[in-house]
Amino acid sequence: MDSVTQLVLGAAVGEAVMGRKVGNKAVLWGAIAGTLPDLDVFIPLGDVVRDFTYHRSASHSLFVLAALTPLMVWLINKVHPRLREHRSRWMLMIYLVFATHVLLDSFTAYGTQIFWPFVTTPVSWSTIFIIDPLYTLPMGVGVLAALIMTRDTNRGHLLNGYGLVLSAVYLSWTVIAKQVVDSKIEEDLQAQDIPYQKIFTTPSPFNSLLWRAVVKVDDGYYEGIYSVLDREGSTRFSFYPSEENLLSGIENHWPVQRLKWFSRGLYSVSQRNADIVISDLRMGIEPNYVFSFKVGEISNPHAEPAVPEAIPNRRDLSKLELIWQRIWDQTVILGR
């Protein structure tokens, strides 16, 4: 999830666990711990593919964060020596903040290596977009209430708890919505006699009503858009080819293999000018994807580039209005 959401979640969990005992310090340290795992983005790993695929690995491991928890509590005790009597409670709070951070990330399309180093395959349930105001807002209101309301009563603390519950209910709704969408997409693929290898569904930006499906087939992929409010007709699927032949000669190079693995096979290969480009199909909408990388050159197809290059994402903000319209209107067309 986005950094603001993780900060707010950490603050809310901190308040829920320690707010009655240490007041606003629980909110502060919860927010810090909630932000900490994502600081790995500032660690350069050598090239853009490594930066992309190793994010949310060791820094998001439940095991690594368990080892980091005592260090965080030691720091808290150094800063607040009078609160050392709550050491066990601090331990519980910090680890819960860490755990909720990485588990929430696992609900996104990107995925999280929560069992690193024992299992490095990212966990990805893909039920919520990386920024969803309906998830973040209830927690934000609860945290704000805890901060500004008097500590002489439990009202702010209770409102914070209500905010956490409402956000959890919303997250549960996204899981249910995904089951509905997956069932509908499979039904429509069968009705349209489209054989497939893999189906991936994910909500569109900032909501959980409009969903995008990527359907992997032998020579490319289909993209379909479905709203849970759609009442009639079948999902419209558009086919796009993937030029796998462009990888001939570089298919065993590390960036190519790594991107294939990380995307779980949900990638496309295309030519852009003289560049061979791999795009992760899980984040974006045809033809603009958030993560695309140059992995070779047409003029020298058997040579690996010294350093892979990220292809800038061409953000089209006008699509946001179309997304909102498509939620309610099946005739609106997204994509190309």
Side-chain angles (χ1 to χ4, degrees):
M1 295 294 286
D2 64 287
S3 298
V4 172
T5 297
Q6 292 292 10
L7 183 149
V8 171
L9 175 60
V13 172
E15 170 63 29
V17 177
M18 289 285 286
R20 287 179 176 175
K21 294 183 179 297
V22 301
N24 290 349
K25 295 182 181 65
V27 176
L28 172 63
W29 285 103
I32 292 172
T35 304
L36 193 62
D38 284 339
L39 297 183
D40 66 340
V41 298
F42 296 106
I43 302 174
L45 298 175
D47 64 60
V48 291
V49 172
R50 285 181 169 83
D51 292 344
F52 171 57
T53 60
Y54 283 115
H55 176 48
R56 294 187 182 176
S57 55
S59 66
H60 285 62
S61 164
L62 290 170
F63 306 107
V64 172
L65 292 173
L68 181 61
T69 297
L71 296 177
M72 279 290 296
V73 174
W74 173 84
L75 176 62
I76 292 170
N77 287 334
K78 280 289 186 181
V79 177
H80 307 294
R82 294 182 181 179
L83 300 178
R84 288 181 178 176
E85 61 180 301
H86 302 301
R87 184 177 184 277
S88 296
R89 196 76 173 179
W90 280 118
M91 292 277 284
L92 173 64
M93 188 203 95
I94 294 299
Y95 190 66
L96 280 177
V97 171
F98 284 154
T100 51
H101 177 122
V102 301
L103 289 173
L104 178 59
D105 278 345
S106 297
F107 282 88
T108 67
Y110 187 93
T112 313
Q113 297 179 45
I114 59 177
F115 300 118
W116 187 95
F118 304 105
V119 179
T120 57
T121 301
V123 174
S124 173
W125 298 306
S126 187
T127 73
I128 191 168
F129 189 68
I130 56 172
I131 303 174
D132 193 324
L134 287 182
Y135 176 79
T136 308
L137 187 59
M139 290 188 299
V141 171
V143 169
L144 185 61
L147 286 173
I148 65 176
M149 296 182 76
T150 176
R151 290 289 178 178
D152 294 334
T153 70
N154 284 329
R155 291 177 183 173
H157 183 79
L158 289 173
L159 287 173
N160 178 78
Y162 295 151
L164 276 171
V165 170
L166 286 174
S167 291
V169 169
Y170 179 74
L171 188 61
S172 299
W173 146 252
T174 68
V175 175
I176 296 171
K178 184 176 177 68
Q179 300 306 310
V180 172
V181 171
D182 286 354
S183 177
K184 173 63 174 175
I185 293 299
E186 290 183 18
E187 177 185 319
D188 289 347
L189 286 170
Q190 292 176 7
Q192 298 177 43
D193 196 25
I194 299 176
Y196 59 88
Q197 299 173 350
K198 185 176 297 187
I199 300 173
F200 174 80
T201 59
T202 187
S204 60
F206 314 129
N207 77 96
S208 59
L209 295 176
L210 186 65
W211 292 68
R212 173 176 170 266
V214 177
V215 182
K216 190 74 171 177
V217 295
D218 287 336
D219 54 348
Y221 54 96
Y222 288 88
E223 182 181 69
I225 304 296
Y226 175 73
S227 170
V228 297
L229 301 181
D230 288 351
R231 288 293 176 262
E232 59 184 22
S234 296
T235 306
R236 174 180 175 270
F237 296 102
S238 299
F239 174 77
Y240 303 98
S242 179
E243 301 177 81
E244 293 282 337
N245 60 295
L246 294 176
L247 297 179
S248 177
I250 61 171
E251 61 268 28
N252 294 321
H253 289 325
W254 186 87
V256 174
Q257 290 290 315
R258 183 71 177 178
L259 290 170
K260 285 184 177 182
W261 168 80
F262 188 78
S263 67
R264 297 188 177 188
L266 293 162
Y267 66 90
S268 70
V269 185
S270 60
Q271 178 181 343
R272 300 189 186 182
N273 298 321
D275 298 334
I276 302 170
V277 174
I278 292 181
S279 298
D280 189 325
L281 298 175
R282 297 173 299 173
M283 295 188 68
I285 189 168
E286 191 67 31
N288 298 322
Y289 292 100
V290 178
F291 300 111
S292 296
F293 302 92
K294 172 186 173 180
V295 294
E297 296 179 354
I298 298 297
S299 59
N300 194 8
H302 300 292
E304 179 183 10
V307 178
E309 299 176 17
I311 305 298
N313 177 35
R314 295 170 293 179
R315 291 181 174 86
D316 185 357
L317 297 181
S318 65
K319 285 283 174 56
L320 296 179
E321 183 178 354
L322 286 177
I323 287 172
W324 178 254
Q325 293 173 2
R326 176 59 186 86
I327 292 174
W328 321 99
D329 185 353
Q330 288 181 248
T331 65
V332 174
I333 303 298
L334 299 179
R336 289 182 189 268

